[in-house]
């Protein structure tokens, strides 16, 4: 999750020159490492675990890594799995705003046949108007080669990150789940693309059940959110206004590919869903003992918790069912939303165990000092209104369902996760069919 706060911007702005003509010299590795250490000692959640005398002669990436309270399943299960640093602060900020280098197709990779090192790619979703969409890619499409080279465990990363236009050799899958290579090829270039996180929404009417379904891929307020856009949050508001007008009494929220994002967007979405009042706490946040007194003095106790917002589009009072679809990719702000809603309503999870991230980070850059690097250290731990934060290993679903390798379009009842959710709401199994 990305915790943005004005204080960070103010601190990082100190010392900037007003004269726009002044050129900032690029920082050396030593200067970059000093900047890294100073900020980590102040902000890092586990700053008491930073080595007393770290090796400043390391390159910045290795130096940053040497400071971390590294996770170990056996010896340090509560350690850090999530802090990272990037050589380009601009690329870091763009990726957190949903802007990345991509063909517009998100995919998963699986070994096929099982037990071999051969890899196939399966399109999870395709952004409208993207190169992949223009090439005809759809959710569920399978590819076996990139640039005429068969995907394997040793080459898939290099092939899929190649510059320029990528040529994908396609495959088909039958009703039994057997994949067959074909001669069809699709071409798509990797470009810088801003992703709209709201990928699909619809309403199901099954008997007396009016069921809203929404697929949400990332918690981001709007395009170039660092500049204050809230277009995506407002789009969500509009969808929930539609749900409310239709007297929606059940909601299926699809977060299976949602790895997190802005806490402000998680608060906005939770406030559209929850059976809550304006005074209810969505989550608490805990910082280290170094920065806490400063934040408390400057902002007061209210800085350490976030209340739900009052939203006219809220449908919580009318909800009989809230089902969230999850996978191992559901992380961070997705889990924050689940944890924050649990004290106020019955939250049913269908899918797979979530990722397990109950901590939050901030973006730190030093462009004014000539530092090109950007880092995303963990600075806080999150709790719900009951002070619960017991999902460091993820939330276990109420019903474990996998989607397999044959994927169906969003909203299609053949999708195993959606089908299970609809069946649970209606109280009877929904018949599936083979047509896509």
């Amino acid at each position: 999750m990305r915790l943005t706060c004005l204080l960070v911007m103010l601190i990082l702005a100190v010392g900037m020159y007003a004269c726009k003509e002044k050129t900032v010299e690029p920082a050396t590795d030593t200067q970059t490492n000093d900047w890294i250490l100073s900020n980590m000692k102040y902000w890092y959640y586990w700053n008491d675990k930073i080595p007393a005398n770290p090796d400043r002669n390391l390159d910045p990436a290795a130096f940053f890594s040497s400071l971390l309270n590294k996770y170990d399943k056996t010896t340090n299960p509560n350690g850090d799995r999530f802090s990272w640093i990037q050589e380009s602060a601009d690329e870091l900020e763009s990726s957190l705003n949903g802007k990345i280098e991509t063909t517009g197709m998100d995919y998963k990779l699986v070994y096929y046949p099982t037990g071999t090192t051969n890899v196939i790619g399966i399109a999870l979703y395709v952004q409208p108007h993207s190169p992949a969409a223009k090439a005809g890619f759809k959710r569920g499409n399978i590819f076996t080669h990139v640039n005429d080279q068969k995907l394997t465990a040793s080459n898939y990363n290099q092939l899929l990150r190649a510059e320029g236009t990528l040529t994908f050799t396609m495959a088909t899958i039958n009703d039994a789940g057997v994949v067959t290579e074909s001669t069809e090829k699709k071409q798509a270039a990797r470009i810088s693309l801003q992703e709209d996180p709201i990928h699909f929404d619809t309403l199901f009417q099954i008997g007396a059940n009016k069921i809203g379904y929404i697929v949400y891929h990332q918690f981001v307020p709007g395009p170039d959110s660092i500049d204050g856009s809230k277009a995506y949050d407002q789009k969500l508001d509009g969808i929930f206004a539609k749900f409310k007008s239709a007297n929606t009494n059940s909601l299926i929220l699809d977060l299976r590919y949602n790895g997190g994002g802005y806490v402000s967007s998680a608060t906005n979405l939770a406030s559209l869903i929850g059976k809550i009042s304006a005074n209810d706490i969505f989550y608490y946040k805990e910082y280290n003992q170094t920065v806490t007194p400063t934040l408390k003095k400057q902002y007061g106790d209210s800085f350490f918790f976030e209340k739900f917002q009052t939203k006219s589009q809220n449908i919580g009072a009318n909800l009989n069912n809230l089902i969230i679809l999850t996978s191992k990719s559901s992380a961070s702000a997705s889990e924050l939303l689940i944890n924050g809603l649990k004290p106020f309503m019955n939250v049913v999870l269908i899918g797979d165990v979530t990722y397990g991230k109950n901590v939050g980070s901030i973006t730190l850059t030093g462009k004014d000092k000539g530092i090109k690097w950007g880092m995303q250290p963990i600075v806080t731990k999150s709790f719900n209104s009951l002070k619960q934060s017991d999902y460091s290993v993820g939330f276990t679903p109420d019903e474990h369902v996998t989607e397999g390798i044959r994927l169906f379009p969003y909203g299609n009842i053949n999708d195993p996760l959606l089908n299970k959710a609809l069946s649970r709401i209606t109280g009877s199994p929904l018949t599936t069919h083979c047509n896509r």
Side-chain angles (χ1 to χ4, degrees), residues 112-124:
Y112 187 91
T114 303
T116 72
T117 60
N118 292 328
V119 172
I120 62 172
I122 306 171
L124 299 176

Side-chain angles (χ1 to χ4, degrees), residues 96-163:
L96 292 168
N97 284 302
K99 194 171 185 179
I100 56 175
E101 292 288 329
T102 176
T103 62
M105 171 181 61
D106 197 11
Y107 52 81
K108 67 178 178 180
L109 302 172
V110 300
Y111 288 113
Y112 187 91
T114 303
T116 72
T117 60
N118 292 328
V119 172
I120 62 172
I122 306 171
L124 299 176
Y125 59 89
V126 180
Q127 280 296 311
H129 314 299
S130 66
K134 293 174 182 177
F137 275 100
K138 298 182 184 302
R139 172 171 160 80
N141 282 170
I142 295 174
F143 55 92
T144 59
H145 295 63
V146 174
N147 295 339
D148 295 324
Q149 294 188 56
K150 189 176 186 64
L151 291 169
T152 67
S154 61
N155 70 9
Y156 71 84
N157 189 56
Q158 178 184 358
L159 291 175
L160 289 165
R161 293 182 179 274
E163 296 296 328

Side-chain angles (χ1 to χ4, degrees), residues 69-81 392-393:
N69 175 37
K70 292 185 177 65
Y71 166 86
D72 184 277
K73 184 176 181 180
T74 303
T75 62
N76 194 22
N78 293 313
D80 185 2
R81 292 189 286 154
S392 61
V393 295

Side-chain angles (χ1 to χ4, degrees), residues 11-200:
I11 289 174
L12 296 178
V14 172
M16 290 185 68
Y17 293 99
C19 178
K20 294 183 180 179
E21 288 77 17
K22 185 173 180 66
T23 300
V24 179
E25 293 295 327
T28 64
D29 280 0
T30 299
Q31 291 169 327
T32 298
N33 287 346
D34 288 343
W35 171 81
I36 291 171
L37 182 60
S38 175
N39 279 281
M40 291 290 281
K41 282 184 174 180
Y42 187 72
W43 283 107
Y44 190 46
Y45 183 72
W46 297 279
N47 66 349
D48 58 332
K49 306 291 186 182
I50 292 176
N53 297 297
D55 183 0
R56 285 180 166 84
N57 294 318
L58 296 171
D59 68 80
F63 181 73
F64 177 82
S65 178
S66 75
L67 305 180
L68 301 181
N69 175 37
K70 292 185 177 65
Y71 166 86
D72 184 277
K73 184 176 181 180
T74 303
T75 62
N76 194 22
N78 293 313
D80 185 2
R81 292 189 286 154
F82 304 108
S83 296
W84 83 91
I85 192 169
Q86 284 184 222
E87 190 168 359
S88 170
D90 291 336
E91 290 180 5
L92 171 61
E93 291 175 331
S94 292
S95 66
L96 292 168
N97 284 302
K99 194 171 185 179
I100 56 175
E101 292 288 329
T102 176
T103 62
M105 171 181 61
D106 197 11
Y107 52 81
K108 67 178 178 180
L109 302 172
V110 300
Y111 288 113
Y112 187 91
T114 303
T116 72
T117 60
N118 292 328
V119 172
I120 62 172
I122 306 171
L124 299 176
Y125 59 89
V126 180
Q127 280 296 311
H129 314 299
S130 66
K134 293 174 182 177
F137 275 100
K138 298 182 184 302
R139 172 171 160 80
N141 282 170
I142 295 174
F143 55 92
T144 59
H145 295 63
V146 174
N147 295 339
D148 295 324
Q149 294 188 56
K150 189 176 186 64
L151 291 169
T152 67
S154 61
N155 70 9
Y156 71 84
N157 189 56
Q158 178 184 358
L159 291 175
L160 289 165
R161 293 182 179 274
E163 296 296 328
T165 298
L166 304 182
T167 300
F168 299 86
T169 302
M170 309 304 293
T172 60
I173 183 170
N174 65 18
D175 293 343
V178 177
V179 175
T180 303
E181 293 184 2
S182 74
T183 58
E184 180 188 10
K185 295 184 179 182
K186 297 181 186 292
Q187 291 188 324
R190 294 175 72 240
I191 63 172
S192 180
L193 186 67
Q194 174 75 53
E195 177 180 346
D196 182 342
I198 307 163
H199 201 83
F200 182 84

Side-chain angles (χ1 to χ4, degrees), residues 3 5 28 86-87 119 186 254-255 283 289 300 325 365 430:
L3 303 179
C5 61
T28 64
Q86 284 184 222
E87 190 168 359
V119 172
K186 297 181 186 292
D254 197 333
L255 300 179
Y283 77 99
Q289 293 184 8
L325 307 185
T365 66
L430 269 68

Side-chain angles (χ1 to χ4, degrees), residues 219-238:
F219 290 86
V220 57
D224 299 317
S225 296
I226 198 167
D227 295 325
S229 171
K230 294 187 177 181
Y232 299 147
D233 283 352
Q234 292 164 358
K235 184 177 177 180
L236 273 179
D237 291 349

